[in-house]
Amino acid sequence: MPANARLIAALAAVLYLFTSLVPAQAISAREKDFQDWRLRCERKSDNDPERCFIMQIAKALKNKRDILRIGVRYLEPEKPAMIFLTLPLGIYLPDGLLFLVDGGEILNIPVEICMANGCHTRMALEGALLKTLKGGRQATLTFYDGQQQKITVPISLAGFTAAYAALK
C-alpha cells in the first residue's frame, strides 16, 4: 500500500474514533446521570448493537465556558476502555496536555490531531490511571492557548466509578 494511502487510512481511523463520542442520529438512546458523569447508550438502527459511553463537559476555571469534552468508551469488548479528550482549536500544541488527579503525579499527554471540531487525543484507561481515577475526587487538565496563556480545566470525578461500572 502506498504511503499516502496508509496515511489516509490512518487518518480515517482516527476520525472514526474521535467522532464515535459525538452523539449520532440514533434511532434510540438512553441516558443516566451518575453525579457529574453521564452514561449514554444509543442504537443507530434496530439491528445495531447498543453503543455506550460516559462523558463530562468541563468548564475553564477562568471564564467558566465549556472547553473540554472528556469521554470513555470501549472500542472492543476484550480491550481496555479508552479516554477521549476534545479541546478547542487554537491551543498551543508543543506543550501538550498536563493531567493531574488530586495533586498526584502529572501525566503529560500529547495532542494527536486537530480537526474542524477541535483538537483530540486518546489513551487507554487501565492500570494505575484507572485506579487513580476511581479513587480520586478531582482531576485537572492544563494546556496553553495560542498566546501560550495557561488554561486549567477542573474535571469532577464524582460519580466516575459508578458510571464506569455501568459502562461495562
Side-chain angles (χ1 to χ4, degrees):
M1 178 182 281
N4 286 346
R6 282 195 303 267
L7 177 61
I8 291 170
L11 288 174
V14 169
L15 176 61
Y16 169 76
L17 292 175
F18 290 126
T19 58
S20 65
L21 282 177
V22 177
Q25 295 295 335
I27 190 169
S28 67
R30 65 181 174 89
E31 294 183 346
K32 182 176 180 182
D33 288 334
F34 294 86
Q35 291 177 287
D36 294 331
W37 287 81
R38 173 165 288 178
L39 170 72
R40 179 176 172 89
C41 297
E42 54 190 35
R43 292 181 195 274
K44 291 184 180 179
S45 75
D46 288 333
N47 298 328
D48 287 335
E50 187 174 62
R51 294 174 29 152
C52 299
F53 60 92
I54 59 174
M55 65 162 296
Q56 182 179 147
I57 297 174
K59 299 178 181 304
L61 282 175
K62 190 174 183 179
N63 60 14
K64 304 294 186 210
R65 66 180 189 148
D66 292 352
I67 198 160
L68 168 69
R69 173 178 240 154
I70 182 170
V72 176
R73 71 177 292 243
Y74 285 94
L75 298 177
E76 298 177 43
E78 301 303 317
K79 302 271 181 155
M82 298 292 289
I83 296 177
F84 294 85
L85 302 169
T86 301
L87 296 121
L89 292 172
I91 65 173
Y92 184 68
L93 299 175
D95 288 345
L97 312 172
L98 303 175
F99 188 74
L100 179 72
V101 177
D102 293 336
E105 186 176 329
I106 295 174
L107 178 61
N108 194 323
I109 306 167
V111 175
E112 291 182 350
I113 191 168
C114 292
M115 300 164 52
N117 64 344
C119 294
H120 309 276
T121 197
R122 64 191 170 154
M123 61 188 157
L125 180 55
E126 58 187 342
L129 177 59
L130 178 58
K131 183 178 178 182
T132 300
L133 290 175
K134 283 182 171 183
R137 295 183 347 175
Q138 174 96 14
T140 57
L141 186 76
T142 301
F143 59 95
Y144 295 86
D145 67 13
Q147 290 75 42
Q148 298 182 26
Q149 298 296 309
K150 184 183 209 179
I151 298 173
T152 299
V153 183
I155 303 165
S156 170
L157 296 176
F160 175 82
T161 302
Y164 181 76
L167 183 60
K168 290 192 169 196

